[in-house]
């Protein structure tokens, strides 16, 4: 499934919840733009904005050999090395510096981009010019655990999209090429599992942003409506958690959406197209087990299986008791405005059926 690079950018910005940053970072893309080039352009343009407004700084503790005394004297180390005879000391002191983890991650990623095969040569040259502005910032080993420790605040929240892009680059450029010191970027859009995660996060955050006046959008834990002779037996049941649950703020409707991402929307058996059976069973299980006789809206909840497509749209409707069940697609090859309209139309139709 080939999705236009501009639409991939929109999907990522919604999934990362970084629409405001996207509007500030102007990135020109066309049909010839590669995914790696897109990420490089985002970092280049975002870094230029940072340099104009000032990069994040904080107090950093250093322990080093210096002439004279600064901060806290490390007396035992100084004497042990006989530095006092040379009028030098070892001291621990704080400096207000840009050499902090958030900038180290950015600089390390920019250096990796230079060493990544297939990145546009002009972009590499532009990155090299930018790095001249960061001579005092160290390169580090980036781990996912480090990225999780970064906490943004009102003053540095612009770094949010930068960190997301840095993480994406490091997670998808782990395979060294045969050429010494060079990295190869792996196009994650070819990975069905990763794209499934992205598609789900995109749809959920799209509805959170665009329909916040009408719906509460969340993931929902659903308990199996089973009984058992022993409570210990329940620990063996699989967890049920919806991809997306929408509950209207006026408490009159509920929609459960299960997103699925496949290269082919339908399966073909004996030359006939069919819905993925496991997907339908899963959605049906959600609808049945979320029912609560004390909560009428759960007895009329709608269910949607939502697939991406790049050619043929699906709009199928079924009914079970008071539950409307839909199989729908959104064309990710369409112009972005058409994608927005389609996603809103899907919920508008279902909301109408539920009222």
């Amino acid at each position: 499934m080939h999705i236009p690079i501009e639409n991939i950018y929109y999907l990522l910005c919604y999934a990362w919840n970084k629409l405001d940053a996207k509007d500030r970072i102007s990135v020109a893309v066309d049909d010839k733009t590669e995914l790696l080039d897109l990420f490089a352009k985002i970092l280049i343009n975002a870094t230029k904005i940072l340099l104009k407004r000032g990069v994040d700084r904080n107090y950093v503790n250093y322990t080093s050999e210096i002439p004279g005394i600064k901060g806290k004297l490390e007396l035992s180390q100084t004497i042990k090395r006989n530095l006092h005879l040379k009028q030098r000391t070892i001291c621990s002191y704080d400096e207000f510096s840009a050499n902090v983890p958030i900038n180290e991650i950015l600089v390390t990623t920019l250096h990796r981009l230079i060493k990544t095969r297939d990145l546009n040569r002009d972009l590499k040259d532009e990155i090299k010019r930018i790095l001249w502005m960061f001579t005092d910032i160290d390169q580090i080993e980036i781990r996912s655990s480090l990225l999780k420790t970064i906490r943004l605040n009102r003053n540095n929240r612009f770094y949010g999209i930068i960190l997301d892009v840095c993480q994406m680059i490091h997670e998808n450029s782990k395979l060294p090429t045969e050429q010494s010191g060079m990295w190869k970027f792996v196009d994650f859009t070819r990975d069905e599992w990763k794209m499934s995660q992205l598609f789900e996060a995109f749809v959920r955050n799209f509805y959170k942003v665009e329909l916040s006046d009408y719906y509460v959008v969340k993931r929902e834990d659903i308990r199996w409506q089973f009984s058992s002779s022993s409570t210990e037996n329940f620990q063996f049941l699989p967890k049920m958690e919806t991809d997306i649950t929408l509950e209207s703020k006026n408490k009159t409707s509920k929609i459960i959406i299960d997103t699925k991402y496949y290269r082919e929307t339908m399966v073909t058996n004996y030359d006939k197209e069919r819905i993925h059976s496991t997907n339908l069973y899963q959605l049906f299980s959600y609808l049945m087990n979320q029912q609560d006789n004390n909560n009428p809206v759960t007895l009329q909840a709608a269910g949607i299986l939502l697939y991406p497509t790049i050619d043929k749209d699906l709009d199928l409707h079924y009914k079970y008791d008071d539950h409307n069940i839909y199989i729908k697609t959104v064309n990710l090859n369409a112009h972005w405005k058409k994608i927005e309209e389609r996603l809103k139309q899907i919920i508008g139709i279902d909301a109408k059926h539920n009222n």
Side-chain angles (χ1 to χ4, degrees):
M1 179 182 293
H2 176 73
I3 304 171
I5 196 70
E6 184 176 12
N7 288 353
I8 290 289
Y9 190 20
Y10 274 101
L11 262 63
L12 287 168
C13 286
Y14 269 104
W16 293 335
N17 200 20
K18 300 295 189 304
L19 285 176
D20 55 339
K22 180 186 182 302
D23 293 337
R24 294 185 60 188
I25 302 172
S26 177
V27 176
V29 297
D30 54 36
D31 293 340
K32 297 180 180 179
T33 303
E34 298 293 335
L35 190 58
L36 179 60
D37 293 343
L38 168 66
F39 289 146
K41 288 181 178 182
I42 295 171
L43 285 188
I44 288 169
N45 292 353
T47 304
K48 288 179 178 178
I49 294 174
L50 283 178
L51 290 170
K52 288 181 180 179
R53 60 181 287 181
V55 297
D56 197 38
R57 296 175 183 272
N58 210 331
Y59 285 100
V60 179
N61 182 261
Y62 294 95
T63 300
S64 62
E65 178 185 327
I66 61 171
I69 297 177
K70 180 179 181 180
K72 178 186 176 184
L73 172 65
E74 302 293 345
L75 184 60
S76 60
Q77 295 182 50
T78 300
I79 294 175
K80 185 176 181 180
R81 294 172 57 180
N82 293 321
L83 293 175
H84 58 291
L85 301 177
K86 304 174 185 177
Q87 296 185 328
R88 298 181 67 83
T89 61
I90 294 179
C91 293
S92 296
Y93 55 92
D94 291 335
E95 279 194 356
F96 196 61
S97 170
N99 193 32
V100 294
I102 202 168
N103 291 324
E104 290 172 336
I105 291 170
L106 170 59
V107 167
T108 302
T109 305
L110 290 173
H111 276 286
R112 176 169 292 193
L113 282 173
I114 292 175
K115 296 180 181 179
T116 301
R117 196 181 69 182
D118 299 328
L119 180 64
N120 178 277
R121 172 56 59 183
D122 292 337
L123 293 177
K124 286 188 178 184
D125 291 340
E126 195 164 1
I127 291 172
K128 290 177 183 178
R129 289 192 291 270
I130 287 174
L131 284 172
W132 279 105
M133 309 295 291
F134 292 99
T135 54
D136 296 330
I137 297 178
D138 298 332
Q139 293 188 60
I140 59 173
E141 181 179 359
I142 298 179
R143 299 178 180 271
S144 58
S145 57
L146 171 63
L147 290 163
K148 291 177 181 178
T149 65
I150 301 296
R151 294 291 178 267
L152 301 179
N153 54 50
R154 182 188 300 177
N155 295 325
N156 65 4
R157 63 183 179 183
F158 181 72
Y159 277 87
I161 191 170
I162 292 174
L163 293 174
D164 286 329
V165 173
C166 289
Q167 182 173 359
M168 188 67 73
I169 291 170
H170 283 273
E171 286 181 351
N172 293 282
S173 60
K174 296 180 179 179
L175 302 175
T177 64
E178 294 179 0
Q179 186 178 353
S180 177
M182 294 297 290
W183 293 82
K184 179 178 174 59
F185 181 79
V186 180
D187 187 349
F188 67 86
T189 62
R190 300 173 185 174
D191 186 316
E192 198 168 89
W193 184 85
K194 288 183 178 179
M195 287 303 294
S196 177
Q197 299 295 107
L198 173 59
F199 183 58
E200 176 191 329
F202 153 64
V203 175
R204 181 168 52 251
N205 282 343
F206 176 88
Y207 286 134
K208 280 184 179 180
V209 171
E210 304 297 336
L211 299 179
S212 59
D213 292 340
Y214 309 101
Y215 287 98
V216 174
V217 182
K218 60 182 180 180
R219 301 190 72 163
E220 178 186 10
D221 288 325
I222 298 175
R223 297 182 61 182
W224 293 92
Q225 293 193 17
F226 291 168
S227 59
S228 177
S229 59
S230 172
T231 56
E232 293 182 357
N233 293 343
F234 288 100
Q235 66 180 307
F236 299 102
L237 292 175
K239 181 180 180 180
M240 278 196 296
E241 183 181 44
T242 64
D243 291 343
I244 306 160
T245 295
L246 286 76
E247 294 182 348
S248 63
K249 291 189 173 181
N250 60 10
K251 308 295 185 183
T252 60
S253 66
K254 178 179 180 179
I255 305 169
I256 293 175
I257 302 176
D258 206 34
T259 60
K260 299 297 179 185
Y261 187 98
Y262 300 106
R263 290 185 177 88
E264 300 294 336
T265 305
M266 308 284 272
V267 293
T268 303
N269 290 324
Y270 302 104
D271 296 327
K272 290 186 177 181
E273 290 186 323
R274 307 283 189 188
I275 301 164
H276 291 261
S277 58
T278 54
N279 300 165
L280 196 56
Y281 297 153
Q282 184 178 14
L283 181 63
F284 188 74
S285 182
Y286 289 162
L287 290 172
M288 295 301 100
N289 285 279
Q290 61 84 47
Q291 291 184 132
D292 179 355
N293 290 329
N294 296 318
N295 186 0
V297 73
T298 66
L299 305 179
Q300 300 176 5
I304 301 175
L305 278 179
L306 181 59
Y307 298 92
T309 183
I310 58 171
D311 42 38
K312 185 174 64 176
D313 287 328
L314 286 178
D315 271 300
L316 307 178
H317 176 217
Y318 307 94
K319 189 100 173 174
Y320 181 86
D321 288 343
D322 290 329
H323 298 288
N324 287 290
I325 299 172
Y326 302 90
I327 317 296
K328 293 183 176 290
T329 55
V330 55
N331 188 345
L332 297 183
N333 195 37
H335 186 277
W336 182 251
K337 287 297 180 183
K338 293 291 185 183
I339 295 175
E340 287 185 333
E341 291 171 4
R342 173 61 174 168
L343 289 174
K344 291 178 182 179
Q345 178 194 50
I346 287 170
I347 300 305
I349 290 173
D350 292 327
K352 183 170 66 177
H353 275 286
N354 276 277
N355 288 332

